[in-house]
Amino acid sequence: MKIAERMLKLVIFTLFVSACARPQDLDTNRVLPLSQELFNVSDIKFEQIEAKPAPEIVNNDASYGYAVDFSLPTSLSQMKCLKSANYAAIFVRAFTPSGSGAFDTNSVATIRNAYSAGLGIEVYMTPQPISSLQGYQQFDLLYNGLVNNGITVRSIWIQVTSPVNWSKTVTTNINFINSIISRAQQHGLSVGIYTSQYDWNQITGNWVTAGSNLMLWYWNVYGPGVTGETPATFADFRAFGSFKQPSVKQYAQVESLCNLVVNRDVYAVGIPAAAAAATKTDLTNSKNIVVGGVIRQ
């Protein structure tokens, strides 16, 4: 019974961290079920991981700004809370890998709430690499979903993490990612990649010709929660693939903030001011909310 109990705790821990540690969902993770014969569930007490409150921002380095990323629905009060807590921007998931992949309809209300709260907005997609839909088709679902709701898109971030969810063939993965990049660029969008050196190497074979114009949002943590944070700087970055410098770093995962479970990020300042000016110009000629352009190379 002791062995079975430890096995189940390990699976539950793995599921929770995989779901919350990065901007992705539980349904993207494939875990083989344990046989019911191994244990009696009624005899086991589960250990849960609780998201602890995020520390207040103490920004002693004026070269960095703060953001958060998440995939859950939000309220206007939560977005105002983030703004009051000195976060300047959010990263919102606008495409879910559920099924064959689908536009995340929850993103529309979150984007509107964030806009009303005065936050900068970036959107990312968690694609479904093992799908009947090609990469560009999945991008089309995201793009059309936002545009049809009166939202103008300036940039998109593609999540390339969790190698277990991708093809074992590097060429297949590269073609899939490149399909999204090409389609986004056809629409005039800037493109960024959310990944790590390990993820990029495992999924793409350290693809070095992805393009020097791609932005990088990399993650580096020791684990979930406050104790797993790394410094909120780019000092730990090492070049990999075609990425010579980062635009954003995710330095904290699975923390509680404004009644949300979020990951926390830093980016180079000077960018929000430029983005605000660009957004103001866009809105002069359009009543649409503009997302993207907050983060720039």
Side-chain angles (χ1 to χ4, degrees), residues 17-18 20-24 69 91 123-127 156-162 166 177 191-197 199-200 203-204 214-221 240 243 248-253 263-265:
V17 172
S18 295
C20 299
R22 305 172 190 173
Q24 63 187 19
D69 65 82
F91 288 75
V123 294
Y124 70 88
M125 65 182 297
T126 306
I156 184 70
W157 297 83
I158 307 166
Q159 181 175 345
V160 183
T161 63
S162 301
W166 292 73
I177 297 168
V191 180
I193 303 291
Y194 169 79
T195 192
S196 69
Q197 183 176 16
D199 289 330
W200 192 251
I203 295 169
T204 73
L214 292 180
M215 299 178 290
L216 174 65
W217 170 18
Y218 77 105
W219 68 270
N220 184 29
V221 300
F240 63 92
F243 306 112
V248 190
K249 174 190 175 182
Q250 185 186 84
Y251 69 93
Q253 298 176 344
N263 306 315
R264 301 202 293 158
D265 312 275

Side-chain angles (χ1 to χ4, degrees), residues 25-295:
D25 285 336
L26 185 62
D27 53 25
T28 69
N29 295 283
R30 298 176 177 83
V31 179
L32 295 177
L34 296 176
S35 171
Q36 184 66 29
E37 297 176 356
L38 289 176
F39 49 80
N40 184 345
V41 175
S42 63
D43 293 338
I44 299 174
K45 295 181 179 180
F46 299 136
E47 291 182 349
Q48 296 183 345
I49 301 173
E50 181 181 357
K52 302 294 185 181
E56 291 185 6
I57 292 176
V58 180
N59 191 359
N60 296 320
D61 189 339
S63 63
Y64 292 101
Y66 286 79
V68 297
D69 65 82
F70 50 83
S71 60
L72 298 175
T74 67
S75 66
L76 177 57
S77 62
Q78 288 172 321
M79 296 297 96
K80 288 181 176 179
C81 174
L82 290 175
K83 181 71 173 180
S84 298
N86 296 319
Y87 292 89
I90 62 169
F91 288 75
V92 184
R93 190 189 67 182
F95 190 87
T96 170
S98 298
S100 295
F103 174 61
D104 191 337
T105 56
N106 290 324
S107 65
V108 176
T110 292
I111 288 169
R112 289 171 177 164
N113 289 335
Y115 176 78
S116 296
L119 290 165
I121 308 163
E122 295 281 350
V123 294
Y124 70 88
M125 65 182 297
T126 306
Q128 177 51 270
I130 311 299
S131 170
S132 58
L133 297 176
Q134 298 296 314
Y136 74 90
Q137 294 174 312
Q138 295 184 35
F139 170 82
D140 286 347
L141 290 175
L142 178 156
Y143 185 81
N144 293 330
L146 292 175
V147 170
N148 291 340
N149 279 281
I151 298 169
T152 298
V153 187
R154 290 286 176 259
S155 62
I156 184 70
W157 297 83
I158 307 166
Q159 181 175 345
V160 183
T161 63
S162 301
V164 68
N165 297 326
W166 292 73
S167 169
K168 296 184 183 298
T169 305
V170 165
T171 302
T172 299
N173 294 332
I174 289 176
N175 290 339
F176 178 85
I177 297 168
N178 197 44
S179 172
I180 300 174
I181 294 171
S182 297
R183 185 65 126 210
Q185 291 177 340
Q186 286 175 12
H187 286 279
L189 273 59
S190 298
V191 180
I193 303 291
Y194 169 79
T195 192
S196 69
Q197 183 176 16
Y198 173 81
D199 289 330
W200 192 251
N201 185 62
Q202 292 295 306
I203 295 169
T204 73
N206 199 38
W207 183 21
V208 296
T209 58
S212 59
N213 59 341
L214 292 180
M215 299 178 290
L216 174 65
W217 170 18
Y218 77 105
W219 68 270
N220 184 29
V221 300
Y222 299 125
V226 177
T227 58
E229 291 185 7
T230 56
T233 71
F234 296 159
D236 56 5
F237 175 73
R238 301 294 180 270
F240 63 92
S242 61
F243 306 112
K244 305 307 179 186
Q245 63 182 18
S247 297
V248 190
K249 174 190 175 182
Q250 185 186 84
Y251 69 93
Q253 298 176 344
V254 196
E255 295 184 354
S256 176
L257 182 65
C258 296
N259 293 317
L260 289 168
V261 176
V262 302
N263 306 315
R264 301 202 293 158
D265 312 275
V266 288
Y267 57 87
V269 297
I271 294 169
T279 300
K280 183 176 181 181
T281 299
D282 290 333
L283 292 177
T284 300
N285 300 316
S286 172
K287 295 182 180 180
N288 289 0
I289 295 173
V290 177
V291 299
V294 176
I295 310 299

